[in-house]
């Protein structure tokens, strides 16, 4: 499973890039709003200068014609841009039209296998089931990940399943075990995934023994 960073903060992108484990970035208007007035285009291009991989930029239009126009604009910002479009009837038409033009689409707000199937058939590049939000309403979000992975792999559909709304390290491990092709995570999850008390204890003991042996 590949990892994308879910952020519009260039500082978070730069910090995460040092580890060599991030292969893409997902953004949305809510994340951009936290960034203090920087233009969406400028921030996407800044991110592209750090991470050489898919960078999702989200449409805000709600009609198919407007979505297509907006998607063309977003895609023009950088070759790595993937346009995020929510799944509904207008979105589905726009996904089909944009995909036919060669614009890569990340279909967002996926909450059912039926939505994922329609999006994949319309030409989506990525399908983004929202794990955490399903958990919030007492539905097993990981089961949807498994369903979507089974769907695309059984029917040899080109779309990749991107597990979104991952909120804690267990979510990441579960998404990987469920077969998600990609997981998108907030920057705070990287140190949490890295941390384990037994690792800390082991390092402390190693250093103590090294001092006893006069190695340090």
């Amino acid at each position: 499973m590949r990892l994308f960073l879910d952020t519009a903060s260039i500082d978070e992108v730069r910090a995460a890039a040092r580890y060599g484990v991030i292969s893409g970035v997902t953004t949305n208007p809510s994340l951009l709003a936290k960034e203090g007035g920087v233009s969406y285009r400028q921030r996407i291009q800044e991110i592209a200068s750090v991470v050489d991989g898919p960078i999702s930029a989200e449409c805000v239009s709600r009609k198919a014609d407007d979505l297509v126009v907006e998607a063309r604009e977003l895609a023009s910002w950088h070759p790595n841009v993937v346009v995020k479009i929510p799944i509904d009837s207008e979105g589905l038409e726009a996904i089909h039209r944009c995909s036919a033009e060669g614009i890569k689409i990340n279909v967002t707000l996926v909450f059912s296998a039926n939505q994922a199937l329609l999006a994949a058939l319309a030409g989506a590049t990525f399908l983004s089931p929202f794990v955490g939000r399903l958990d919030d309403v007492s539905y097993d979000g990981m089961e949807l990940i498994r369903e979507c992975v089974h769907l695309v792999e059984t029917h040899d559909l080109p779309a990749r399943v991107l597990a979104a709304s991952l909120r804690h390290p267990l979510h990441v491990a579960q998404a990987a075990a469920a077969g998600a092709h990609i997981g998108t995570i907030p920057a705070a999850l990287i140190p949490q995934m890295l941390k384990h008390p037994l690792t800390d204890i082991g390092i402390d003991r190693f250093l103590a023994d090294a001092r006893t042996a006069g190695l340090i």
Side-chain angles (χ1 to χ4, degrees), residues 10-112:
I10 189 61
D11 291 335
E12 289 183 348
V13 171
R14 287 171 177 153
R18 297 178 314 184
Y19 298 117
V21 298
I22 297 299
S23 56
V25 176
T26 55
T27 73
N28 60 49
S30 298
L31 293 171
L32 185 72
K34 301 175 182 178
E35 294 301 300
V38 63
S39 76
Y40 207 173
R41 178 173 184 160
Q42 176 186 344
R43 183 47 46 90
I44 292 296
Q45 291 176 339
E46 288 173 344
I47 292 170
S49 72
V50 179
V51 175
D52 185 16
I55 302 167
S56 291
E58 187 162 351
C59 289
V60 296
S61 301
R62 297 308 312 127
K63 294 296 183 181
D65 287 344
D66 297 332
L67 282 165
V68 171
V69 171
E70 187 178 0
R72 289 170 181 156
E73 171 63 20
L74 295 177
S76 75
W77 292 351
H78 193 275
N80 288 351
V81 166
V82 177
V83 177
K84 288 176 76 173
I85 295 178
I87 182 67
D88 62 5
S89 60
E90 296 288 337
L92 189 63
E93 179 182 342
I95 292 160
H96 168 61
R97 291 167 58 182
C98 290
S99 298
E101 294 183 16
I103 299 172
K104 294 181 179 179
I105 303 296
N106 177 357
V107 180
T108 188
L109 294 174
V110 171
F111 292 105
S112 75

